[in-house]
Amino acid sequence: MEQVRTVLAGETSFLVRTSGEGDDTPVLLLHGVPETSACWREVSVGLSAGRTVLAPDLPGLGGSRYSGPYDVGSLVAQLVALLDAEGIEQIDVVGHDWGGILAFGLAARHPARVRRLVVANAPYHRSAPLWRAWYVMVFALPGLPDAVFRVAGRRVVETMLRLGWGDGPPLDDERREEYAAAYTPSSAARAVLGYYRALARPRRGALRPGSGLAGAVGEVRVPRTVLIWGALDPALPISVAEDAVLRLGPDTTLTTVPGAGHFLIEERPELVTELVRQALA
């Protein structure tokens, strides 16, 4: 049975959905944008037999309160503080979209704490082609996207979900409304834009050696990494996943999900659950 709690950790007041319990390695589920931890509801049920499953709203998003900074290193530090607050030493991490970027960052900065790593539709070193992910640069602009979110935040969320969806059953109206409401407050809009701005315009000292996405994430060395990819993702094509496999090394596997778009966690929850269970076995 799922429990929804508030956990104070680091500089964040996390909203955390918890299910299951047991002796197996706990699982940390990290959502993407414009979703919240609610996107994992179906998946967490399938993973909770014999282990604890934690699905937090990312810092500053959904029900989690955090005022920045929003670079990958700072966000990862908030997640580590959450693990410390929960008394968890080692975890399996599953991340999608922005949650996948933070999962890579967590594995790079704290490899001893990550046993298995599963990432769905999130870039590693190579970003998406600009013509596909044009919204990244738009969100990084000063002023304009803030005004757009103030005037039409719900429309922005609905458009992102619609354009990123594959050919499966559409997202139900209740969940779509839940996400639209989560990103409408000015604090949530400021946070999500902060994520993109920090990636596009990193602050001094926020990067490790290197630059751009590679410098922000760092070098991942986890014994087993599994990538799951929606084959119809309009923003992050399969070539981005293939590049990640080459860079992550021979212990990395890639499974594509035909017909699924960017939001495959909710488009194909049963299949994603089974793929994650196999990856964490």
Side-chain angles (χ1 to χ4, degrees), residues 14-275:
F14 281 98
L15 182 147
V16 182
R17 303 175 192 273
T18 307
S19 57
E21 64 178 326
D23 296 330
D24 284 353
T25 303
V27 183
L28 180 67
L29 304 177
L30 303 176
H31 68 85
V33 172
E35 299 163 301
T36 68
S37 57
C39 74
W40 297 108
R41 282 173 179 159
E42 291 81 4
V43 176
S44 62
V45 171
L47 299 179
S48 60
R51 70 169 79 210
T52 299
V53 179
L54 301 176
D57 284 355
L58 296 185
L61 306 182
S64 294
R65 301 291 174 257
Y66 173 69
S67 58
Y70 299 105
D71 60 275
V72 171
S74 297
L75 295 169
V76 166
Q78 300 306 304
L79 295 175
V80 171
L82 173 62
L83 298 180
D84 291 341
E86 294 291 285
I88 297 174
E89 282 297 320
Q90 192 175 53
I91 51 167
D92 291 335
V93 186
V94 184
H96 167 248
D97 184 73
W98 258 106
I101 293 176
L102 297 184
F104 281 136
L106 179 58
R109 288 167 168 78
H110 303 274
R113 303 194 73 161
V114 179
R115 187 187 73 113
R116 295 284 185 265
L117 176 63
V118 182
V119 172
N121 289 69
Y124 178 42
H125 273 214
R126 176 183 170 184
S127 300
L130 185 59
W131 66 273
R132 284 179 176 268
W134 53 268
Y135 60 90
V136 173
M137 298 309 299
V138 172
F139 283 175
L141 292 173
L144 176 62
D146 304 75
V148 171
F149 263 94
R150 281 196 301 271
V151 174
R154 289 175 177 271
R155 184 67 61 84
V156 171
V157 171
E158 292 171 355
T159 300
M160 291 177 70
L161 292 168
R162 175 172 53 81
L163 293 180
W165 213 259
D167 62 8
L171 185 66
D172 66 81
D173 292 339
E174 182 178 352
R175 189 71 61 84
R176 185 183 295 106
E177 172 59 26
E178 183 177 346
Y179 295 152
Y183 284 83
T184 298
S186 58
S187 59
R190 183 167 57 252
V192 72
L193 294 175
Y195 278 49
Y196 288 99
R197 286 166 177 160
L199 197 60
R201 304 186 307 232
R203 64 190 178 90
R204 182 176 298 178
L207 299 184
R208 288 188 168 191
S211 61
L213 183 60
V217 170
E219 294 294 331
V220 173
R221 292 292 180 267
V222 173
R224 184 179 181 183
T225 300
V226 174
L227 303 182
I228 305 172
W229 219 265
L232 299 183
D233 190 330
L236 298 173
I238 294 295
S239 59
V240 176
E242 292 170 339
D243 178 79
V245 171
L246 291 174
R247 293 179 182 275
L248 289 165
D251 290 333
T252 303
T253 61
L254 167 64
T255 299
T256 58
V257 181
H262 183 70
F263 300 102
L264 74 166
I265 306 301
E266 294 186 277
E267 295 178 55
R268 302 286 193 277
E270 293 183 359
L271 177 56
V272 168
T273 300
E274 184 56 33
L275 291 174

